[in-house]
Amino acid sequence: DMKNRIITAIATLFVCSLQMPAQTLEVQHLANNNAIVRFSPNQEARYLLIPIEEKSPESKIKVICGNSLARTLDVHLAFDKVDYFVPFDLQEWQGEDVKLLIHLPVDRTNGREPQSEICWSKMILSDTFDKTNREKFRPSYHHTPEYAWMNDPNGMFYLNGEWHLYYQWGPYGSVWNNMTWGHSVSRDLINWEPRNPAIMPDALGAIFSGSCVVDHNNTAGFGKDAIIALYTSAGEVQSQSLAYSLDGGNSFTKYEGNPILTSDIVDFRDPNFFWNDEIGKWNLILACGQEMRIYSSDNLIDWTEESRFGKSYGCHEGVWECPDLFKLPVEGSDEEKWVLFCNINPGGPAGGSATQYFIGDFDGSKFTVDDVNRYLDGKALWQDYGKDHYAAVSFYDAPDSRHTMIAWMSNWEYANIVPTMQFRSANTIARDPFLYKVGDRIYLGSRPAPEYSGAGLDKTVKINGSCTVTLSNDKGEEFVIIYDQKAMTLSCDRSKSGLTDFSQHFDRVAVAPVYRKITSLRIFIDNSSVEVFANDGEVCLTSLVFPDSPFNSLTISK
């Protein structure tokens, strides 16, 4: 009847209005591959959804509010097809006139006129962005970003029962760029809650890696228990900047005197700092080319260079990055030793990026290695011998005097092209490093954090002598772990583990030296990773895998 037809018509209009964009975009095409996109976001336009095509060359977008430059983005705009959308948050510009000045790359090879590219019709304003997981390879218990690119963990600290994890985040696509500090928080190191981005790019450059401390004694003058972040500002040059948080790390204010530390070298980055009770000062260690520089400070702002470490020691096949430095007891003895961590790319034991370490002593000014011969002539000790463990750093103020560490679970040889798109990269499980002695030599181990015990995430295999442990699925894909007791090696072979052909570097076998007999393997298996801990962490190998379906079978053979 008429009443039902009227109700149906009204309902149809309502549904259609929900499906229509809240506002339209005005696009003006200019000379030399440039365009201006104009709009005024309102409450119904929280996001600009940008269409991405990963194979396309980068376009540069300048976000202009009024006549002031607000942001600069490098984005793989869609030309031929849309792989996915990324959101640009418009909340801070509600009700204002916004212009995007977009420069398309000159090296486009499709032969079309710039105004015919599909990016113009696919770019829309929206009040929502769908973050529902669409990836079968997304881990079930490892930390990942909700969407887009992630690499190094940054600025990690523990406070009031919460583990704060910042990370290198590229919010406008699933390949590296536009580096920002993302932020996640956990109470158990298994379940992670995403928080708002913590530190955004500015006029000094992108926000590269760094660290955070809790300034319990207000040495910097920003307040008792303020969270202080030091990070690398990466523009035309790399320099070190400071930001502080008065709300427990949820939001940061940048120090007006940035940068606080500069240099005349190109690779000058990744500050890691800590309070040193032994000297009553702060220490800072910085990655500088192929060495580490060590500084001291009373107030976290003014830093004095104390010494340099690295020449002639360890692996120098790549750039040194992401340092860490702390003291650990030697298990089974009364000794304590300092461990200096140095991430390097390339040069890892299985190719590409990895984490080397040095054991020695530190007096607050100078780090001195023990047993020099272990590090001369390019020799190195590695925290993890798998291909997918990099940028490992520790949480500040971890409970029970722990130095819990997390690493980026990927490798720069193929990180940008692994078979995921909604997000790229996960972190390893958290690990507590420890020192153990074999004969008169000390080695570093990495034990899975106690938070994982009893959570049902791992499988423990008791072994006696040489053996092969095979993880497999119903498709016949397999990940093979081989312990050779005579050769004193532990290896992981993922050449038949599923998708491997996206990179020629992916299916290389990873081999670790073993320093004493292995009696157990503890294996953490997730949707796209296998982490192997021999003797509960004396030897570690971390590997990405991309099987058609998860590994659900484990067999042991001699």
Side-chain angles (χ1 to χ4, degrees), residues 384-388 409 414 461 467-483 490-500 506-511 521-533 540-557:
D384 189 300
Y385 283 82
K387 277 190 73 82
D388 298 301
M409 195 159 55
Y414 43 73
V461 179
C467 66
T468 298
V469 178
T470 303
L471 309 176
S472 60
N473 60 17
D474 299 335
K475 304 289 184 179
E477 297 164 333
E478 58 184 29
F479 182 89
V480 182
I481 306 164
I482 300 173
Y483 171 45
L490 182 69
S491 64
C492 290
D493 183 349
R494 62 182 177 190
S495 59
K496 299 179 181 178
S497 63
L499 292 177
T500 64
F506 189 76
D507 63 0
R508 180 172 173 178
V509 176
V511 182
L521 298 175
R522 192 175 176 192
I523 307 170
F524 285 77
I525 307 167
D526 208 338
N527 296 331
S528 55
S529 64
V530 178
E531 293 164 278
V532 179
F533 299 86
C540 308
L541 293 107
T542 299
S543 305
L544 290 179
V545 290
F546 298 100
D548 186 74
S549 60
F551 297 128
N552 56 8
S553 175
L554 185 153
T555 58
I556 304 174
S557 59

Side-chain angles (χ1 to χ4, degrees), residues 151-154 168 208-210 232 269-272 285-289 291-292 319-325 340-345 354-356 383 390-394 405-406 408 412:
N151 57 295
D152 307 356
N154 294 159
Q168 287 285 280
F208 276 17
S209 292
T232 298
R269 56 179 176 263
D270 309 341
N272 196 308
I285 183 167
L286 262 175
C288 303
E291 67 179 8
M292 299 299 180
V319 176
W320 285 22
E321 296 187 312
C322 303
D324 206 344
L325 177 64
L340 188 155
F341 294 84
C342 167
N343 292 274
I344 183 171
N345 175 52
T355 307
Q356 62 179 326
Q383 185 179 13
Y390 190 60
V393 288
S394 62
M405 304 184 79
I406 280 181
W408 177 46
W412 279 117

Side-chain angles (χ1 to χ4, degrees), residues 299-557:
N299 62 7
L300 294 171
I301 296 171
D302 303 301
W303 294 91
T304 301
E305 183 179 333
E306 299 285 350
S307 64
R308 301 182 181 187
F309 171 81
K311 287 187 177 179
S312 304
Y313 294 127
C315 179
H316 285 269
E317 293 181 27
V319 176
W320 285 22
E321 296 187 312
C322 303
D324 206 344
L325 177 64
F326 49 78
K327 184 192 287 187
L328 289 172
V330 181
E331 295 190 347
S333 76
D334 296 328
E335 292 182 85
E336 288 186 315
K337 286 293 177 183
W338 286 82
V339 185
L340 188 155
F341 294 84
C342 167
N343 292 274
I344 183 171
N345 175 52
S353 41
T355 307
Q356 62 179 326
Y357 68 89
F358 304 88
I359 297 173
D361 293 301
F362 179 58
D363 62 5
S365 175
K366 183 179 181 180
F367 177 80
T368 307
V369 295
D370 292 344
D371 197 354
V372 171
N373 291 330
R374 302 174 81 181
Y375 311 105
L376 293 177
D377 302 319
K379 294 192 291 288
L381 300 172
W382 303 94
Q383 185 179 13
D384 189 300
Y385 283 82
K387 277 190 73 82
D388 298 301
H389 178 279
Y390 190 60
V393 288
S394 62
F395 285 90
Y396 190 79
D397 270 359
D400 304 320
S401 300
R402 293 159 57 189
H403 291 279
T404 305
M405 304 184 79
I406 280 181
W408 177 46
M409 195 159 55
S410 196
N411 191 304
W412 279 117
E413 287 186 333
Y414 43 73
N416 280 290
I417 56 172
V418 296
T420 63
M421 278 196 179
Q422 184 188 19
F423 79 100
R424 280 238 169 83
S425 299
N427 290 121
T428 65
I429 63 167
R431 309 169 184 198
D432 286 347
F434 63 97
L435 296 176
Y436 66 100
K437 207 165 189 176
V438 179
D440 60 354
R441 284 195 160 173
I442 300 172
Y443 297 92
L444 177 82
S446 296
R447 183 175 291 125
E451 283 78 2
Y452 303 117
S453 297
L457 305 177
D458 58 304
K459 300 180 183 297
T460 299
V461 179
K462 300 295 183 182
I463 61 176
N464 184 16
S466 297
C467 66
T468 298
V469 178
T470 303
L471 309 176
S472 60
N473 60 17
D474 299 335
K475 304 289 184 179
E477 297 164 333
E478 58 184 29
F479 182 89
V480 182
I481 306 164
I482 300 173
Y483 171 45
D484 187 329
Q485 184 170 303
K486 183 177 180 181
M488 294 292 284
T489 60
L490 182 69
S491 64
C492 290
D493 183 349
R494 62 182 177 190
S495 59
K496 299 179 181 178
S497 63
L499 292 177
T500 64
D501 60 358
F502 54 87
S503 169
Q504 62 179 342
H505 303 290
F506 189 76
D507 63 0
R508 180 172 173 178
V509 176
V511 182
V514 172
Y515 305 115
R516 58 185 173 194
K517 182 181 179 181
I518 294 178
T519 59
S520 68
L521 298 175
R522 192 175 176 192
I523 307 170
F524 285 77
I525 307 167
D526 208 338
N527 296 331
S528 55
S529 64
V530 178
E531 293 164 278
V532 179
F533 299 86
N535 292 349
D536 204 24
E538 289 184 2
V539 180
C540 308
L541 293 107
T542 299
S543 305
L544 290 179
V545 290
F546 298 100
D548 186 74
S549 60
F551 297 128
N552 56 8
S553 175
L554 185 153
T555 58
I556 304 174
S557 59

Side-chain angles (χ1 to χ4, degrees), residues 13-32:
L13 286 172
F14 178 69
V15 171
C16 290
S17 68
L18 289 180
Q19 293 173 343
M20 291 175 63
Q23 294 173 269
T24 57
L25 304 174
E26 177 189 347
V27 182
Q28 296 173 290
H29 294 284
L30 311 176
N32 299 323

Side-chain angles (χ1 to χ4, degrees), residues 19-82:
Q19 293 173 343
M20 291 175 63
Q23 294 173 269
T24 57
L25 304 174
E26 177 189 347
V27 182
Q28 296 173 290
H29 294 284
L30 311 176
N32 299 323
N33 284 7
N34 288 288
I36 294 178
V37 178
R38 300 173 184 265
F39 55 93
S40 297
N42 57 29
Q43 292 180 350
E44 297 173 337
R46 169 70 185 270
Y47 302 106
L48 174 70
L49 300 186
I50 304 174
I52 302 297
E53 181 183 4
E54 287 196 350
K55 74 171 187 178
S56 70
E58 282 182 348
S59 300
K60 187 171 291 291
I61 301 178
K62 293 182 179 180
V63 182
I64 300 170
C65 185
N67 290 312
S68 299
L69 179 63
R71 296 276 162 72
T72 299
L73 318 178
D74 293 308
V75 176
H76 294 265
L77 279 178
F79 295 155
D80 295 313
K81 67 183 181 71
V82 178

Side-chain angles (χ1 to χ4, degrees), residues 1 33 127 129 153 226 289 458 468 558:
D1 59 13
N33 284 7
D127 61 346
F129 175 66
D458 58 304
T468 298
K558 288 291 187 180

